[in-house]
Amino acid sequence: MVKSSRFASRIGLSPIAALDEKVRALTLEGREIVNFGVGQPDFPTPEAIGEAGIEAIRNGMTRYTSPMGSFEMREAVAEKLRTENRLEYAASEILISSGSKQALHCILAAVLSPGEEVILPTPAWASYPAIIRLLGGEPCFVETRLEDRFKLTPEKLKKSLSPRVTGLLINSPCNPTGAVYSPEELRALAAVIKDAGLWVVADEIYERIVFGSSRHTSLPAVEPELRDKTAIVSGVSKSFSMTGWRIGYAAGPSEWIRTASSIQSHQAGSACSISQEAARYALVSSGDDAANMRAAFERRRDITLELLCGVEGLELLRPEGTFYAFPRVSSFLGPRDPGVCLSTDEDLAGWLLDEAAVATVPGTAFAAPGHLRISYAVSDDLLTKGLKSLRRALVKLGPVLQQ
Ligand code: PLP
């Protein structure tokens, strides 16, 4: 048998993809599962965006683009960054990739050397440690807790520094917690980042899905001095319900982007030309569809809070953005009579799948055991049905009695 490479053997299948497989198998057996594991909007791609893709095919835009992405798409991203994020980037400082996942991979490959460590506040999206490890780096996990509103503080950041740490990966709005950093919080972190000389990758893929008075802020917009050491990563997957089109981007210092684009030129070559044109249209169009989707996610966030708050033992913070809730469920874990033992969040998620026919992602997948991630990117009806079932099951189970 051929042995996996040293770096490849350090990662496994994404736990979310593994959950999807399981739900698909149960559905094939005829079970009706409400899937709260999904990481994508349930809406179709807005029609006009789809039409822009079809038009691109009709117009013969079906050839390789520059490895950096089409000039028109990079210009559209630059304009978007200027008007929405208060950031000035030239087209030469922007890379278009096959999804923000590939942008993250190329950017990290451009800056991270084997053996170096990257600070990763947890809970964190499962692909971050995998990408870092594939590149021979090491994630330096820094735990944030519900009591900190799941946000990295300057004190915690300072404590986690070491000579091996070269960079920080930060995600706001955050998958899985829904936390959104305020300008003040970013400014306080920026002071430590500057002193320590760290580079930063800021994943802003959920930037348009923020609720109430929360606003998305980009780190270099509050601390321009960090512009030369920061790459912003975002894309159209979540904001415009375009996950299957696979378009994301990175904006950063030109040398960094040039290196990332060389790497990309030897991988995918370039992102899909047709998808780039559809994504360009999404960025320059009115954005009404994106605004309607955002409003639907806010309504569903409220439904989730209403149905889950008050369940004894479940602790839930109000998500400020994304389409995820991340309750702490540790009080349900441990031995109980008669003979049932749900020791881990994975056991509890498995039990909920059997007992309540709902699929949730265990917090362990985000390096945050004792939690569950619930995606509310499902219709209002399914959301209500699934949450009522989940609530019934948890109330019946009850927290483990402390001895
Ligand atoms: N970053 C985060 C935090 C995500 O949750 C995801 C997708 O789930 C991505 C990046 C990747 O998105 P895409 O590659 O579709 O742009």
Side-chain angles (χ1 to χ4, degrees), residues 39 99-101 125 128 171 175 203 205-206 237-238 246:
S100 63
K101 203 179 241 188
W125 182 48
Y128 297 142
N171 173 217
N175 170 11
D203 181 351
I205 187 74
Y206 295 93
S237 287
K238 317 287 177 175
R246 309 306 304 125

Side-chain angles (χ1 to χ4, degrees), residues 220-274:
V222 296
E223 182 44 87
E225 271 187 54
L226 283 180
R227 185 193 182 283
D228 289 344
K229 298 205 77 172
T230 301
I232 306 283
V233 174
S234 190
V236 293
S237 287
K238 317 287 177 175
S239 305
F240 296 96
S241 201
M242 291 180 73
T243 47
W245 296 79
R246 309 306 304 125
I247 295 293
Y249 60 83
S254 55
E255 315 85 82
W256 202 346
I257 293 295
R258 209 173 313 118
T259 310
S261 128
S262 304
I263 294 165
Q264 182 159 280
S265 76
H266 297 294
Q267 301 179 330
S270 71
C272 167
S273 57
I274 302 154

Side-chain angles (χ1 to χ4, degrees), residues 4-15 105 126-137:
S4 299
S5 77
R6 189 149 58 86
F7 291 164
S9 60
R10 303 168 81 203
I11 66 161
L13 178 68
S14 144
H105 202 130
S127 288
Y128 297 142
I131 296 173
I132 292 167
R133 288 185 175 125
L134 254 186
L135 295 168

Side-chain angles (χ1 to χ4, degrees), residues 46-63 245 273-282:
E47 203 176 324
I49 298 176
E51 285 300 326
I54 293 168
E55 214 27 40
I57 298 176
R58 292 218 170 93
N59 291 338
M61 300 171 88
T62 54
R63 310 179 76 87
W245 296 79
S273 57
I274 302 154
S275 298
Q276 288 192 60
E277 184 51 20
R280 188 198 64 76
Y281 178 86

Side-chain angles (χ1 to χ4, degrees), residues 72-152:
E72 293 75 16
M73 176 56 182
R74 285 182 287 129
E75 282 278 282
V77 171
E79 180 59 19
K80 182 252 174 233
L81 290 170
R82 192 171 304 129
T83 51
E84 287 178 23
N85 304 69
R86 294 194 300 115
L87 293 170
E88 293 289 335
Y89 286 94
S92 57
E93 296 174 305
I94 292 166
L95 171 76
I96 311 298
S97 294
S98 303
S100 63
K101 203 179 241 188
Q102 190 181 35
L104 279 166
H105 202 130
C106 292
I107 281 291
L108 283 166
V111 76
L112 179 66
S113 297
E116 290 180 354
E117 292 186 13
V118 184
I119 292 174
L120 194 53
T122 62
W125 182 48
S127 288
Y128 297 142
I131 296 173
I132 292 167
R133 288 185 175 125
L134 254 186
L135 295 168
E138 231 11 276
C140 169
F141 294 116
V142 180
E143 185 191 17
T144 72
R145 295 169 54 80
L146 192 133
E147 287 74 11
D148 316 320
R149 305 195 66 74
F150 290 121
K151 288 180 190 174
L152 180 65

Side-chain angles (χ1 to χ4, degrees), residues 160-241:
S160 58
L161 296 172
S162 80
R164 289 180 308 281
V165 167
T166 55
L168 163 71
L169 208 169
I170 193 158
N171 173 217
S172 174
C174 174
N175 170 11
T177 64
V180 178
Y181 284 80
S182 70
E184 295 70 33
E185 287 161 342
L186 287 177
R187 214 167 278 126
L189 289 176
V192 183
I193 294 168
K194 270 195 305 181
D195 278 354
L198 300 179
W199 50 259
V200 181
V201 173
D203 181 351
E204 308 188 340
I205 187 74
Y206 295 93
E207 62 182 303
R208 283 191 193 227
I209 310 174
V210 289
F211 310 135
S213 59
S214 297
R215 293 283 170 273
H216 168 71
T217 315
S218 295
L219 180 67
V222 296
E223 182 44 87
E225 271 187 54
L226 283 180
R227 185 193 182 283
D228 289 344
K229 298 205 77 172
T230 301
I232 306 283
V233 174
S234 190
V236 293
S237 287
K238 317 287 177 175
S239 305
F240 296 96
S241 201

